[in-house]
Amino acid sequence: MLFRPFFRSFLPRFLDWSLVFTRELELDADHHGMLQTDRDTAVQLEIRLAVVGARLQVRFLETLQAVAKDHPEPPPGLLQLKCKLAAEPLTEKDQRYLVLALSRSTGWRDSHPACRDRLASYGFDPADATLPGPVDSSAADTLLTDGLADLEDVLDAHLRGELQEWWIQTHQRQTRDQEELQRLAHDVRFEPLDDADLRLRAILRAR
């Protein structure tokens, strides 16, 4: 009881300070990485990570939802599927993900600096950022070689475990939606759908 007021006052301040400290460590690690290569390489890598990350947030979720429709449990190979999406060459269509990545600012609750702040720490103007060109191979392919397949299996199993609850709920919802669409398709053969069913059909088709 005696320490409760102290922790109520001190703990939030400590957490805020720890996030600032963590962001500084991230930028320090970026700087050391740049010293191992050069600024242009570091900038291009940072842009690639941000763009691919933004693209994966959209496309990987869409892919998972499509696969979950036919699989009641998360199947093996989801990590490999994610890696395949990440490895796809960047094209002009991905320009929107670059814009999205650069539009994000570092919040006071973030443990990692936003892309624009990382680029600025290199002395690079984020407004000059462009989509990076293709790469020949990934660091994992180059550095891990023989152990890569075993590591992918371990990480894939971990990913499927993390997705388990969401996957089951998504599959069940999609199954219910499909059954409802089939009911509506059956009903419309005998009489026109009322406004509520028309609205429901539009919602289900849009998911």
Side-chain angles (χ1 to χ4, degrees):
M1 296 292 291
L2 293 176
F3 292 101
R4 187 172 296 173
F6 169 78
F7 282 114
R8 283 178 177 173
S9 174
F10 174 76
L11 189 57
R13 299 177 186 179
F14 173 77
L15 292 176
D16 293 342
W17 174 86
S18 67
L19 290 173
V20 173
F21 182 64
T22 300
R23 292 195 293 269
E24 290 178 350
L25 289 178
E26 287 281 328
L27 295 177
D28 188 53
D30 289 347
H31 176 72
H32 284 286
M34 181 181 67
L35 294 178
Q36 301 302 314
T37 54
D38 55 72
R39 195 189 78 152
D40 289 343
T41 300
V43 165
Q44 291 301 302
L45 175 61
E46 190 59 53
I47 295 173
R48 179 179 298 279
L49 289 174
V51 173
V52 171
R55 183 175 69 176
L56 278 177
Q57 286 184 341
V58 176
R59 293 192 55 196
F60 189 49
L61 177 59
E62 293 174 346
T63 302
L64 290 180
Q65 290 173 330
V67 177
K69 183 177 180 180
D70 300 319
H71 296 81
E73 298 279 342
L78 295 181
L79 178 70
Q80 289 78 359
L81 180 60
K82 185 176 183 180
C83 292
K84 182 179 179 180
L85 290 173
E88 289 182 0
L90 298 177
T91 67
E92 285 303 314
K93 294 181 179 180
D94 296 309
Q95 185 69 30
R96 58 176 176 147
Y97 297 117
L98 174 61
V99 173
L100 176 61
L102 293 176
S103 69
R104 294 171 176 166
S105 301
T106 303
W108 65 283
R109 283 294 188 185
D110 290 330
S111 60
H112 294 68
C115 176
R116 63 184 304 106
D117 294 325
R118 289 182 184 269
L119 294 177
S121 73
Y122 295 134
F124 182 85
D125 187 350
D128 295 332
T130 58
L131 290 174
V135 294
D136 296 330
S137 61
S138 69
D141 292 329
T142 302
L143 300 176
L144 298 179
T145 58
D146 295 338
L148 181 58
D150 291 338
L151 180 59
E152 285 180 343
D153 290 340
V154 172
L155 294 177
D156 182 62
H158 179 72
L159 176 61
R160 284 185 279 124
E162 287 187 329
L163 290 173
Q164 180 78 15
E165 183 177 353
W166 172 88
W167 192 282
I168 292 175
Q169 293 175 353
T170 300
H171 175 77
Q172 291 175 345
R173 176 181 59 77
Q174 291 178 329
T175 299
R176 290 193 300 268
D177 288 353
Q178 189 60 35
E179 292 173 349
E180 195 68 11
L181 283 171
Q182 291 174 354
R183 179 188 69 79
L184 294 172
H186 175 270
D187 293 349
V188 77
R189 292 187 300 172
F190 300 98
E191 60 181 347
L193 299 177
D194 58 25
D195 290 344
D197 281 341
L198 288 172
R199 185 163 52 251
L200 175 61
R201 186 175 66 178
I203 292 173
L204 294 177
R205 285 179 173 177
R207 286 182 177 175

